[in-house]
Every structure is written in C-alpha cells, then in structure tokens.
Amino acid sequence: MTTYAAARARQRVKRARYAIAVTFCAHGAVTGSFATRIPWIQDHTAISAGQLGLALAFPALGASLTMPLAGRIMHRFGARQALSALLALWTLSLTLPSLAPGMLTLCGALFLMGNAAGMSDVAMNAIGVETEREVGRSIMSSLHGMWSAGALIGSVGGTFAAHLDVDARVHHTIAALVLTVIGVTAAERVLDVRGTPDEEPPPRFALPPKSALVYGLVAFCAVFAEGASLDWSAVYLRDELHTSAGLAAASTTAFALTMAVARLAGDRVVDRFGPVRTVRWSGIVAVLGGLLVVLAPDPYTAMAGFACIGLGIAVVVPLAFAAAGRSGPNPSQAIAGVATITYTSGLIAPSAIGAVADVTSLVFSFGLVTALACGLVVGARVLGPRAGDRVKEPGDALRSGSRP
C-alpha cells in the first residue's frame, strides 16, 4: 500500500469513527427524550404507578427477543444499510408511547420500541468494535460515553419541553424527526462491514455462545449497579438519610454525569493500563463507592459513594462488548448475547432492589450491589485479549469486508 493510499485509508477510518460516535449519541438522545416525558405519558394514559412499572418492562422484553435477529440482518444487507434502517426505526419509535391512549397500547408501543432499540444497539456496537479494530486502539468507552452524552442532551430537551408544558406528542414528533435525520446521515458514513460471500449467515435465533455468557456475567454486575443507582439513589437519600427532594435528585444527576465523563475519558486509561487492570481497579472503586453508600452518615458521603459507583462501572460494558466482538467467527452473535444479558440486568435490577428493600432495607439492598461490584474485581481477567481473538491486520480498512 502506498503512503498516499494509507493516509487516505486512515482519514476514511477517522471519519467513520466520528460517524459511529454520532449514531451512539443519537441513540442515547432517544432514551433521554422518552424518559423525561414518562410522567406526561402516565397522566395521558391514566395508569397507576404499578401499571407504569409493568409497562416499562416491555422495552427490555422486546429488545431481548429480537436482538439475535440483528446479526442476520447485518449479514444480508451489510452493516451500514442495516444500521441506517434499524436506527431510523428506533428514532421514529419515539413517537409511539405518547400516542398510546391506554395501558395495552402503551405496552405494545414500548414492546415495539424495545425491538428497534435492541437491534440497532447490536448493529451499532458491532460496527463500533470493527471501527476500534481499524483505529488500532480503544474507542468503545468513548462511544458509550457519547451515548450517555446523548441521553443527557435528550433529557435536557425533554426537561425544557416539560417546563414549557409542551404536549409530549408534539415534542416527541419533532425530536424523532430531528434525530432520524442526524442518525441516518451519520449511519451512512460508518464502516460498511460485510461478510465474505461464502460465509454462513448467522441463525435467526440462537443461544449466545459461551464466551458471550462469560463477558455478559461481568457486564451484568456493572449494569445491575447502574440500574440500581439510577433508579434508587434519590430514594435512598430521601428515605435513609432524610435529605431534601432537591439534594436527593442531585445525586442521580451526579451519578449520570460521572458515568458520562468516565466513559468519554476511559479509552486513554484502557490504552495505558489494558482492559484487565482497568476493570479490576474500576471494580475496587465501585466497591469502595458501595461501602460509602451503605455506611454513609450523611447525604454528601452517600452522594460521593454513588459518584464512585458510577466511576467504577462506567467502562465495563463497553469493554465487554469489545471483548465479545473480538471472539469467535460471528462477533455480532456474541455482541447480541452480551446485549441481551445487559438489557435483562437493567430490567431486573430496579425491581430486585425494591423487593429486597421491602423484606430488609435499602441499606441491605445496596450491600447486595456492593457484593456484585466485587464480581468486577474477580472477573476482570476474562475481558483481556485471548488466543484466537480477531485482531487488526494492516490494510483491513481497504478490504472488501470492511469498507469506510
């Protein structure tokens, strides 16, 4: 390869990296836009808190059932075209929940929303892993940081719309159209990962490979702590430490901001220390954070604990996806397996914390979170490179299987 051709290849990969980062951001913005208008949707459909909790389980259910299809869609149409279509389905599905007139239609809308979310998530992460191979250094943490940044942007827009008392149907329609244009435009510029003509297509539905289960268990510990902290940190400060509603809400914001910042900066840490040492020390920080929460004598100590939990778990899921993408002949299938486990963890964590708290206390519940965080320290070694992993080879960016 000539110097000129190599320089052009690097430039195309660089543009592809920025493009996949924008798709992560757009994907996250849908989640943030939806979450801020849940109270409006509850009032519009006239459902109880219990019914709302049941309805909110349907996105994870829908995602888990259809994630295995993403690999086959990518194999048939190519990663770029598949991501463009699946991301458009996800951004446009933002309009569905606010249009639902009642409980049954809301569950159906959220189920369809979960279908689109899960498949686009798998496609997005598969391309992210391939882009990381081409770049030659860690980028998955910053990509997930862009997702978190997108969620924050969507939340800010949703908060502003709610403050102005804008009808959620109007807000979500405008947001969906804007995010579709941004997301699809970016998706058309990502790496076009394609299998070889003689490659056997992935099965429509299949159990995740054993490697995905191992990576997924490590990710499970992180996502469980994330779901528990996001949904219960404010309640913990209010009920256990008797703080004000404003300060309690600030703990959730601090946790989310810590995760976003840590993910955006995480790639440099991973490149310097490697995934195993990074996750091991991150797990130690998460454990210390959990201990601060459990033993906190005042709300500020607990807030520092939640911030440490966010810092400690931030890079784990991106590194689990990266490890899955390096393993086996069908990385999209392994990524789908990890994604299914993480979605399931995110689904059961909030309800599990509540169930344990009903029997014991929230303090004991976060003792469970702290114990699971120990799993990051123990399981960190499985996220390191293994013999037989797919590695970047010179000239990959110019080959037909991965076109910028």
Side-chain angles (χ1 to χ4, degrees):
M1 183 186 297
T2 65
T3 303
Y4 175 72
R8 291 197 62 182
R10 287 193 297 270
Q11 188 63 29
R12 287 197 295 270
V13 171
K14 184 177 180 180
R15 287 196 297 266
R17 176 187 176 181
Y18 292 147
I20 192 63
V22 173
T23 63
F24 269 81
C25 187
H27 196 285
V30 175
T31 299
S33 299
F34 166 70
T36 53
R37 305 313 301 270
I38 289 176
W40 187 98
I41 294 170
Q42 181 182 9
D43 292 341
H44 179 68
T45 52
I47 59 177
S48 67
Q51 289 175 313
L52 177 62
L54 176 61
L56 291 176
F58 275 79
L61 178 62
S64 299
L65 290 177
T66 54
M67 277 177 173
L69 289 173
R72 194 173 183 91
I73 293 173
M74 293 174 66
H75 181 273
R76 180 170 181 180
F77 299 104
R80 182 184 294 167
Q81 187 174 349
L83 179 60
S84 295
L86 294 173
L87 188 63
L89 287 177
W90 167 232
T91 53
L92 292 174
S93 72
L94 176 60
T95 61
L96 298 178
S98 59
L99 296 175
M103 175 66 178
L104 290 178
T105 50
L106 178 61
C107 290
L110 292 175
F111 182 82
L112 293 175
M113 199 174 181
N115 292 159
M119 290 189 292
S120 57
D121 190 278
V122 171
M124 192 170 64
N125 276 284
I127 295 173
V129 169
E130 196 67 27
T131 306
E132 182 175 84
R133 287 183 67 240
E134 299 293 351
V135 172
R137 56 187 174 84
S138 176
I139 65 168
M140 287 300 292
S141 180
S142 62
L143 291 181
H144 282 254
M146 288 297 293
W147 190 97
S148 297
L152 286 173
I153 292 170
S155 298
V156 170
T159 301
F160 186 66
H163 180 72
L164 295 178
D165 201 25
V166 176
D167 189 303
R169 290 168 292 192
V170 176
H171 164 218
H172 283 169
T173 298
I174 294 172
L177 292 175
V178 171
L179 292 174
T180 299
V181 172
I182 294 173
V184 171
T185 300
E188 290 175 350
R189 290 165 172 77
V190 302
L191 291 180
D192 193 17
V193 184
R194 293 179 181 270
T196 58
D198 59 343
E199 183 180 324
E200 185 178 349
R204 289 182 176 87
F205 292 98
L207 292 174
K210 291 181 180 179
S211 60
L213 294 176
V214 174
Y215 306 139
L217 286 175
V218 179
F220 177 92
C221 297
V223 176
F224 192 96
E226 179 182 355
S229 299
L230 279 174
D231 286 16
W232 287 97
S233 57
V235 178
Y236 188 95
L237 264 69
R238 184 194 66 190
D239 292 355
E240 299 294 332
L241 300 172
H242 313 293
T243 189
S244 65
L247 190 59
S251 68
T252 305
T253 303
F255 174 83
L257 282 172
T258 302
M259 279 202 66
V261 172
R263 281 178 168 175
L264 289 170
D267 288 323
R268 292 183 179 181
V269 178
V270 174
D271 283 334
R272 181 170 182 178
F273 298 105
V276 175
R277 290 176 65 189
T278 300
V279 173
R280 184 168 290 140
W281 282 102
S282 294
I284 292 172
V285 172
V287 170
L288 292 176
L291 291 174
L292 282 177
V293 170
V294 171
L295 302 175
D298 57 71
Y300 297 102
T301 303
M303 289 177 68
F306 283 117
C308 286
I309 292 175
L311 179 64
I313 65 176
V315 301
V316 177
V317 172
L319 289 177
F321 278 120
R326 293 192 302 265
S327 65
N330 290 316
S332 61
Q333 187 179 344
I335 289 172
V338 172
T340 302
I341 294 171
T342 57
Y343 268 70
T344 303
S345 177
L347 170 63
I348 68 173
S351 57
I353 292 296
V356 173
D358 281 342
V359 178
T360 55
S361 68
L362 269 178
V363 174
F364 188 88
S365 293
F366 276 92
L368 174 62
V369 171
T370 305
L372 282 175
C374 293
L376 302 179
V377 182
V378 176
R381 62 184 179 83
V382 306
L383 299 183
R386 296 181 175 187
D389 279 354
R390 299 164 68 245
V391 296
K392 184 180 183 300
E393 297 177 3
D396 277 352
L398 296 181
R399 294 176 184 172
S400 59
S402 178
R403 298 198 300 271

